[in-house]
Amino acid sequence: MINRKFGIPQWDVSEIGYGMWGMGEWTEEDDLLSVKALDLAVERGVNFFDTAWAYGHGHSEKLLGELLKRHPDKKLYAATKIPAKNFKWPAKPEYTLEESYPNDHIIEYTEKSLKNLGVEQIDLLQFHTWDDSWSHQEEWRRAVEDLKASGKIAAMGISVNRWEPENGIEALQTGMFESVQVIYNIFDQAPEDKLFSLCEDLNIGVIARVPFDEGTLTGNITKDTVFPEDSWSASYFVPENLLASAERADRLRPLVPTEMTMAEMALRFITMNRTVSTVIPGMRKERNVLMNTAVSDGKGLSEELYQQIKEHRWDRKPTSWSQ
């Protein structure tokens, strides 16, 4: 596993991290699979794990806490997120800071996460939603300063809205944050426009999420794919989005080298960008861990293929179904 430097803290983090969203609502039997996958990831060199209180009301955090206890001899970085007080995703301009992240709410959920993780200090705490209209308000700043001063968190970050990579630039310019989590993949290349250069200038750690575009870039989703009615995927891949996404994936298929899967190509595309500190695919099963961690071999993609893939950028606007 290749490590990269993570922003101002200069942590050595695995370039393939672990996104734990999918481990929030599972059954006890599924948790056993999660434990095996998480332990295998550590064995394969993964040391950055991203979770959130909202992933199963703390369930995913508890799984990460148990992982930390099972591997006391290794430095594993635990990143989690505070939900907005109104529990609405994404943040919208009309949501006030008081509705979203008042001081007492920030402190309360930090304490919940500390307890779930079983640690005295959280490596990276993040606001799970963000709107830049809050950037220059004092209340959240005081809360963050107090949490750092008390040693309850080592670093603070923001997770920015889908398809709005610049709705966080003002926040990063305040100097209060050490990281930003943003959607970045073959289709979603917009963070390269302004966000990444700012992160380089300010030495902000970049966490790339949704590397497979919610599954489209695994190559397994077609226009005929049917999702369970009560699943999140069904609400996201409405007909309009499913057809457009499947068409985009079909255009990419001819570029996939014979020795690769589309998913591997998608991950390698992200590792080609040196501004990215770590990418956090979800890895529910051991086979996913083996496939994704194998990408960290320093080979990336050929420059010719990389430039061809760059042409598949897809700029989208947030909609009612995109969150």
Side-chain angles (χ1 to χ4, degrees):
M1 176 65 67
I2 294 172
N3 286 353
R4 299 187 179 197
K5 292 295 184 184
F6 190 92
I8 293 171
Q10 287 292 283
W11 298 331
D12 286 314
V13 301
S14 53
E15 66 177 0
I16 304 297
Y18 203 120
M20 296 182 64
W21 176 36
M23 295 179 171
E25 304 288 351
W26 281 25
T27 64
E28 185 175 345
E29 182 177 346
D30 290 326
D31 282 346
L32 296 177
L33 296 176
S34 297
V35 166
K36 291 181 179 179
L38 288 164
D39 284 337
L40 179 59
V42 174
E43 181 182 323
R44 297 279 290 178
V46 175
N47 70 2
F48 186 91
F49 295 82
D50 178 83
T51 185
W53 181 89
Y55 302 165
H57 291 194
H59 184 68
S60 179
E61 288 181 325
K62 291 175 183 176
L63 287 174
L64 178 51
E66 292 166 4
L67 179 73
L68 300 178
K69 290 177 183 176
R70 290 197 302 275
H71 299 276
D73 58 326
K74 290 186 168 68
K75 176 52 188 175
L76 304 180
Y77 293 94
T80 192
K81 309 180 199 76
I82 306 169
K85 185 176 181 179
N86 59 13
F87 296 102
K88 293 182 180 180
W89 283 264
K92 295 182 179 180
E94 59 264 31
Y95 298 162
T96 66
L97 182 66
E98 185 61 30
E99 291 176 273
S100 305
Y101 297 104
N103 186 297
D104 58 347
H105 176 79
I106 294 172
I107 302 303
E108 177 187 354
Y109 275 81
T110 302
E111 295 292 346
K112 287 178 184 286
S113 293
L114 284 165
K115 182 178 180 180
N116 289 335
L117 291 167
V119 297
E120 294 184 359
Q121 182 183 71
I122 297 168
D123 295 305
L124 177 64
L125 185 66
Q126 303 157 92
F127 289 118
H128 205 156
T129 65
W130 188 260
D131 188 84
D132 253 353
S133 62
W134 305 329
S135 295
H136 301 289
Q137 297 187 44
E138 290 297 322
E139 188 171 12
W140 67 263
R141 292 193 190 200
R142 289 196 299 271
V144 171
E145 288 170 348
D146 289 346
L147 288 172
K148 288 181 177 179
S150 65
K152 291 183 177 180
I153 68 172
M156 191 73 195
I158 54 173
S159 180
V160 297
N161 298 344
R162 185 187 300 273
W163 306 336
E164 293 184 305
E166 294 172 19
N167 186 6
I169 284 179
E170 284 189 44
L172 298 179
Q173 290 172 328
T174 65
M176 296 295 297
F177 297 106
E178 284 78 23
S179 75
V180 62
Q181 184 171 149
V182 63
I183 292 179
Y184 178 62
N185 56 49
I186 289 174
F187 295 151
D188 297 302
Q189 300 177 37
E192 296 178 5
D193 296 346
K194 295 182 180 179
L195 180 63
F196 282 0
S197 60
L198 178 72
C199 290
E200 290 176 4
D201 291 343
L202 300 179
N203 199 13
I204 300 290
V206 174
I207 305 165
R209 75 178 193 270
V210 195
F212 304 128
D213 192 49
E214 308 297 3
T216 307
L217 290 170
T218 63
N220 296 327
I221 291 178
T222 71
K223 63 181 181 179
D224 299 316
T225 299
V226 177
F227 299 97
E229 288 186 14
D230 59 348
S231 68
W232 180 88
S233 294
S235 66
Y236 177 74
F237 284 107
V238 296
E240 170 195 355
N241 189 32
L242 178 62
L243 292 174
S245 298
E247 288 175 0
R248 293 275 177 167
D250 286 343
R251 293 178 206 169
L252 268 177
R253 293 183 200 281
L255 295 181
V256 182
T258 55
E259 71 278 9
M260 280 188 203
T261 63
M262 186 182 290
E264 179 183 344
M265 186 176 78
L267 277 183
R268 288 186 181 277
F269 172 83
I270 298 171
T271 65
M272 293 285 285
N273 192 306
R274 302 307 300 177
T275 306
V276 173
S277 307
T278 186
V279 53
I280 51 171
M283 297 186 279
R284 295 184 177 184
K285 299 179 181 179
E286 290 176 284
R287 68 171 182 268
N288 303 131
V289 174
L290 293 172
M291 288 187 293
N292 293 340
T293 55
V295 168
S296 184
D297 56 11
K299 295 179 181 179
L301 299 169
S302 70
E303 187 60 30
E304 179 182 5
L305 177 56
Y306 182 64
Q307 293 303 326
Q308 289 177 313
I309 293 173
K310 292 275 286 182
E311 296 176 5
H312 288 259
R313 172 172 171 160
W314 183 13
D315 290 324
R316 292 171 276 188
K317 299 292 184 182
T319 70
S320 59
W321 48 262
S322 64
Q323 305 299 330

